[in-house]
Amino acid sequence: MVEHFSSTRMRRLRQHDYTRKLVAEHQLNPQDLIYPMFVIEGVNQREAIASMPGIERVTIDLLIEEAKELVDLGIPAIALFPVTPADLKSLSASEAFNPQGLAQRAVRALKQAVPAIAVITDVALDPFTTHGQDGIIDDQGYVINDTTVEILVKQALSHAEAGADIVAPSDMMDGRIGAIRQALESQGYVNTCIMAYSAKYASSYYGPFRDAVGSAGNIKGGNKKNYQMDPANSDEAMREIALDIQEGADMVMVKPGMPYLDIVRRCKSEFKVPTFAYQVSGEYAMHKAAFANGWLKEDEVILESLLAFKRAGADGILTYFAKQAARLLQKK
């Protein structure tokens, strides 16, 4: 019977745990993870998010305590998302670049109290507009690209001044990376990194996030298809990524994550730049629903889902499972 086999038996290296570990092509570590967090006004307050079980909006003081926990777990960075009170939202989104705004105060507090954690800030206007779109709109509701970019530049500069380590434009306006890079350089923030959401798709997986930041009600059933990418396109994503790199992006992002792992792979293979992916709120919510119903094994599936990002080429992953995953990895 042996004569029917070649000299190579692929199962030989799968027999024992130690050989499987020795030949593993990819590994997941806590330092690969970035934890997205939602910050609210007030003191010692937590708010549950119904569509994201286990994730909360927290005040700055509690944000600091969680940041200390993340450092202990080996997680290197937070992605910060402010929840803007309704009375501070406007058509002009002026609260986005308020030096005393919630995001700016949170950044300063984090960098003073927990300097070991890297702070990534969201550069986008949807949390600050009364209509929930990512920019300034005209009379027909169309987002005006260049006017929006001017506001985004002010927002990014306010984040850098507050001490943000990485600004992350997630708006998908044309030319905004170059404008932000030029402004950062001219104002002396030469070491502030830009993580560009270069391939951000007009996805239906964002619903729970919009609940979390309070923009779901503002958008009133509208969509973002005239500036976020068509899910049908991958070559277009490569053009977007190439432009952002050319304009000065230090890192690029693909969003959402698991449904777009082919884009992650193409990005890493074709550009060989630091590549990140976002396991978005909808991915988190559907996993949590499956866990709650006993349809999937929670610990195993969390780690498998994140390892898939690494296999696809992601250098880092934004995930709401970051803390849970880091604890599981420490036990291995």
Side-chain angles (χ1 to χ4, degrees):
M1 187 173 179
V2 174
E3 64 186 7
H4 298 295
F5 287 92
S6 68
S7 58
T8 301
R9 289 179 181 262
M10 296 299 293
R11 292 180 56 192
R12 203 177 284 133
L13 293 174
R14 301 173 193 153
Q15 182 179 2
H16 300 290
D17 182 64
Y18 61 80
T19 50
R20 290 193 295 270
K21 289 179 178 178
L22 283 170
V23 301
E25 298 174 33
H26 301 280
Q27 292 184 339
L28 180 69
N29 297 291
Q31 58 263 33
D32 299 321
L33 307 175
I34 297 168
Y35 191 42
M37 296 192 69
F38 303 101
V39 62
I40 56 174
E41 294 283 8
V43 178
N44 194 30
Q45 297 293 315
R46 296 180 180 272
E47 295 178 354
I49 303 166
S51 55
M52 299 179 70
I55 302 299
E56 298 175 314
R57 308 177 191 95
V58 298
T59 50
I60 292 175
D61 54 321
L62 299 182
L63 183 75
I64 289 170
E65 294 308 308
E66 291 222 32
K68 293 176 181 177
E69 180 184 0
L70 296 175
V71 171
D72 291 340
L73 288 170
I75 296 170
I78 291 172
L80 191 62
F81 298 95
V83 181
T84 307
D87 61 345
L88 294 179
K89 297 185 180 188
S90 65
L91 289 173
S92 63
S94 57
E95 184 64 15
F97 54 89
N98 178 2
Q100 297 304 317
L102 178 58
Q104 290 81 353
R105 283 183 282 118
V107 170
R108 283 193 288 270
L110 280 167
K111 294 311 298 180
Q112 181 176 1
V114 198
I117 200 86
V119 179
I120 304 169
T121 56
D122 184 47
V123 178
L125 304 187
D126 51 324
F128 307 96
T129 57
T130 51
H131 45 71
Q133 296 289 350
D134 289 46
I136 308 304
I137 60 173
D138 62 17
D139 293 339
Q140 287 72 48
Y142 183 80
V143 175
I144 309 168
N145 193 94
D146 295 0
T147 302
T148 297
V149 169
E150 292 176 6
I151 307 299
L152 294 171
V153 168
K154 294 180 181 180
Q155 184 183 24
L157 284 173
S158 75
H159 292 176
E161 190 278 331
D165 301 285
I166 303 168
V167 294
S170 64
D171 56 285
M172 289 300 288
M173 295 299 114
D174 291 334
R176 90 278 203 211
I177 301 302
I180 291 171
R181 181 79 274 163
Q182 184 177 3
L184 291 171
E185 293 288 323
S186 67
Q187 295 299 313
Y189 299 110
V190 297
N191 290 321
T192 302
C193 293
I194 297 177
M195 177 186 285
Y197 284 63
S198 299
K200 183 177 180 179
Y201 285 83
S203 171
S204 297
Y205 283 88
Y206 302 148
F209 176 90
R210 291 173 184 167
D211 292 339
V213 297
S215 65
N218 298 108
I219 202 167
K220 294 183 174 67
N223 63 66
K224 304 186 178 186
K225 293 181 179 180
N226 63 34
Y227 50 97
Q228 293 179 357
M229 283 193 56
D230 185 342
N233 296 348
S234 60
D235 289 343
E236 182 185 11
M238 298 305 105
R239 292 185 66 192
E240 288 277 13
I241 292 165
L243 286 167
D244 283 356
I245 295 168
Q246 183 180 355
E247 291 177 23
D250 301 286
M251 300 165 270
V252 297
M253 169 85 75
V254 175
K255 183 181 179 184
M258 289 184 72
Y260 296 85
L261 290 180
D262 60 315
I263 308 301
V264 176
R265 180 69 269 164
R266 284 195 64 182
C267 176
K268 192 64 177 180
S269 296
E270 295 182 27
F271 297 105
K272 296 178 173 59
V273 296
T275 301
F276 292 77
Y278 200 144
Q279 189 180 47
V280 298
S281 60
E283 298 174 67
Y284 175 85
M286 65 184 186
H287 274 109
K288 290 295 285 187
F291 301 153
N293 281 283
W295 298 334
L296 293 173
K297 293 181 178 180
E298 184 164 358
D299 293 352
E300 292 86 342
V301 167
I302 287 172
L303 294 182
E304 183 179 342
S305 72
L306 296 174
L307 185 61
F309 286 93
K310 294 290 291 182
R311 191 183 65 246
D315 297 289
I317 310 141
L318 280 79
T319 175
Y320 301 97
F321 289 121
K323 287 198 296 184
Q324 192 171 350
R327 292 190 189 105
L328 292 171
L329 291 167
Q330 286 185 344
K331 294 177 183 178
K332 294 185 72 175

